[in-house]
Amino acid sequence: MSLFPIIGAVQNYAWGKFGSSSAVAQFAHDNDPSVVIDESQPYAELWMGTHPKAPAVLSQDKAKKLSDVISSDPVKYLGKSVVEKFHSKTELPFLFKVLSINKVLSIQAHPDKSLGAQLHADDPQHYPDSNHKPEMAVALTDFEAFCGFKPLDEIDQLLQKIPEFKEIVGSDLAAKFHESAAERKSLLRSVFAAVMTTPEESISNYAAKLVERTHKQPELFGPVLADLIQRLNVQFPGDVGLFCGCLMLNHCNLKSGEAMFLQAKEPHAYISGDIMECMAASDNVIRAGFTPKFKDVKILVSSLTYSTDPVEDQKQKPAAFPRGSGDAEFALYDPPIDEFSVLQIKFKKAGSASIKGIHGPSIVIVTGGSGEISIQGQKGLKASTGGIFFVGAETEVALKTEGEFTLYRAFCEA
Ligand SMILES: NNC(=O)[C@@H](O)[C@H](O)[C@H](O)COP(=O)(O)O
Ligand SMILES: [Zn+2]
């Protein structure tokens, strides 16, 4: 059994919220007071894991990485079954993050395992590991995102009534897409490719006309989409994301506590809000819009699944967690992959709770209130907002609090 405090690593990507307005900055500072928040800097992501790009370190010894401790006794920390299943004696199978989003992230998708291995071999600079990156977002605040392609008939309606969209795609393909509902699925890739391969200058000209049309003929878009196009055009003027994102991807809104799961090769882009995010341990991002970073349009167009599930089907519904007991509420977000699940633990008033041993490693972060966390029967560690802890395999955890206390626990068990 093992439980000890760790310190996560901050990523200052340009789309993050600035300074103290960012939950990432607040948590990072609360967990390590030596972190000085620079109000002029964006604080986008707080990484909590062993990924070599930004590894977590021990609170008691910042020169020691979490992976150093794990490698000292992999079976104790990861659990025998996880070591055997994921074949690593130093790494966690998942990467846990807090994201605090001020501007839209890139229109992106992530590779599956075979594509991840190929991309890393061909272009290690842009694809830092060979892993797949399925991921799940759990909303801490109201959260807005693009997730997956819109239903085909919705894309068809926009294609027929928005002249700029039809001109980019071309009238022949637009007509074919309209005439045959049965062929739409196979034509979706051609429509997406036509948008993504239109020269930037031409896209920029069409985008200016599109934005003007949202002001002159908002009824063509509906109020939500017209506003979204105008809002994102301010962030990324004339960007292809206004077409491939706003007109082709599902626009979804999650309330705090709602979650969505994104399988590899599904197009998405987070737009606003604060979330917990958990993923297989990878940083492989294939980008194509709304970003100053490296874009890999050819790989993105050729690798997507082109599935068109409605937003409701992509939400990850919380389930009961019978291994938790006491005065807390437990909600388990358990997507259909092996690398991770996320447990929300919520105390609405003073009390205590306990969680039976999990057959693998966990990372716990306190996102609200304060209390104590301990190995069952041992002395408690103070746990307040921003506090992050590693919990080794088979560790019975005890929690107690004098008031409200909210924690998220990412774990893997095999
Ligand atoms: N969907 N979310 C993710 O995949 C995050 O884990 C990634 O780290 C971000 O997408 C990276 O975004 P940029 O490439 O900086 O636009
Ligand atoms: Zn992503």
Side-chain angles (χ1 to χ4, degrees):
M1 301 222 268
S2 53
L3 163 69
F4 49 84
I6 58 173
I7 292 172
V10 170
Q11 301 287 8
N12 298 100
Y13 301 147
W15 47 261
K17 286 184 184 174
F18 283 91
S20 314
S21 73
S22 165
V24 167
Q26 287 164 22
F27 290 166
H29 172 73
D30 292 348
N31 191 32
D32 174 7
S34 71
V35 169
V36 176
I37 298 175
D38 177 342
E39 296 304 328
S40 70
Q41 279 299 310
Y43 290 79
E45 299 190 350
L46 180 63
W47 285 32
M48 300 171 280
T50 56
H51 193 285
K53 178 175 167 183
V57 298
L58 270 58
S59 302
Q60 263 69 25
D61 174 3
K62 292 180 190 174
K64 202 161 196 178
K65 289 189 282 193
L66 174 58
S67 46
D68 299 334
V69 175
I70 289 172
S71 58
S72 70
D73 189 343
V75 170
K76 173 181 178 184
Y77 294 111
L78 298 178
K80 187 167 176 298
S81 52
V82 166
V83 172
E84 284 166 0
K85 183 177 182 72
F86 292 97
H87 314 299
S88 173
K89 295 190 171 182
T90 58
E91 308 294 321
L92 293 177
F94 60 85
L95 175 55
F96 198 25
K97 298 182 180 179
V98 178
L99 272 67
S100 197
I101 305 160
N102 175 49
K103 280 196 333 183
V104 62
L105 277 67
S106 56
I107 299 272
Q108 60 183 248
H110 305 290
D112 59 13
K113 283 201 172 168
S114 57
L115 181 59
Q118 179 206 319
L119 291 173
H120 180 61
D122 296 349
D123 182 0
Q125 185 204 344
H126 293 120
Y127 302 102
D129 55 70
S130 58
N131 204 359
H132 66 158
K133 190 178 179 288
E135 64 193 12
M136 175 170 72
V138 183
L140 293 174
T141 65
D142 286 353
F143 170 59
E144 193 184 8
F146 290 119
C147 64
F149 282 104
K150 287 179 185 290
L152 293 166
D153 59 337
E154 285 183 34
I155 294 175
D156 181 50
Q157 285 161 28
L158 289 166
L159 188 51
Q160 302 315 318
K161 63 184 178 179
I162 312 289
E164 292 75 24
F165 191 14
K166 186 179 274 190
E167 280 181 50
I168 286 171
V169 169
S171 48
D172 290 351
L173 179 51
K176 256 195 235 156
F177 195 83
H178 183 61
E179 275 142 32
S180 159
E183 274 191 69
R184 268 179 211 155
K185 188 149 179 61
S186 62
L187 292 172
L188 177 59
R189 175 172 166 159
S190 310
V191 170
F192 186 70
V195 171
M196 299 313 296
T197 53
T198 298
E200 235 167 82
E201 195 190 332
S202 172
I203 283 285
S204 181
N205 296 334
Y206 281 123
K209 290 183 192 150
L210 178 78
V211 174
E212 194 185 344
R213 194 175 299 279
T214 63
H215 290 290
K216 287 190 176 147
Q217 297 174 279
E219 69 283 358
L220 291 181
F221 302 84
V224 172
L225 182 56
D227 165 69
L228 182 65
I229 290 169
Q230 291 163 14
R231 193 159 36 106
L232 298 187
N233 185 57
V234 169
Q235 296 181 10
F236 286 92
D239 193 279
V240 68
L242 297 173
F243 291 97
C244 66
C246 299
L247 300 185
M248 297 193 76
L249 299 186
N250 284 315
H251 176 223
C252 78
N253 289 283
L254 299 186
K255 289 277 170 233
S256 172
E258 287 192 296
M260 71 180 196
F261 172 63
L262 284 156
Q263 195 46 281
K265 301 168 93 170
E266 292 299 328
H268 60 281
Y270 298 164
I271 299 170
S272 65
D274 295 345
I275 59 168
M276 296 311 303
E277 189 187 39
C278 203
M279 63 212 72
S282 171
D283 193 37
N284 286 331
V285 185
I286 308 166
R287 301 177 185 86
F290 287 149
T291 186
K293 294 183 178 177
F294 169 71
K295 294 195 275 194
D296 211 341
V297 174
K298 209 161 120 293
I299 292 287
L300 186 82
V301 170
S302 62
S303 65
L304 293 180
T305 61
Y306 294 98
S307 58
T308 55
D309 304 326
V311 172
E312 273 315 304
D313 296 1
Q314 304 192 53
K315 285 189 179 177
Q316 183 64 46
K317 302 270 188 296
F321 183 70
R323 286 181 278 181
S325 60
D327 304 317
E329 290 172 6
F330 297 93
L332 177 66
Y333 302 90
D334 187 18
I337 47 132
D338 296 335
E339 281 87 349
F340 65 86
S341 302
V342 173
L343 177 65
Q344 181 197 64
I345 307 160
K346 211 178 181 85
F347 288 86
K348 289 189 174 158
K349 59 182 179 13
S352 62
S354 61
I355 301 169
K356 292 197 180 340
I358 282 179
H359 314 309
S362 302
I363 298 267
V364 176
I365 181 168
V366 180
T367 58
S370 64
E372 268 190 16
I373 184 170
S374 62
I375 296 177
Q376 192 74 36
Q378 293 189 15
K379 188 173 171 318
L381 295 174
K382 191 170 170 326
S384 49
T385 302
I388 307 171
F389 302 85
F390 174 79
V391 183
E394 308 309 338
T395 301
E396 292 241 341
V397 169
L399 295 165
K400 69 178 181 184
T401 179
E402 299 307 314
E404 291 195 346
F405 188 30
T406 303
L407 309 92
Y408 285 85
R409 176 173 185 175
F411 65 90
C412 170
E413 59 184 347

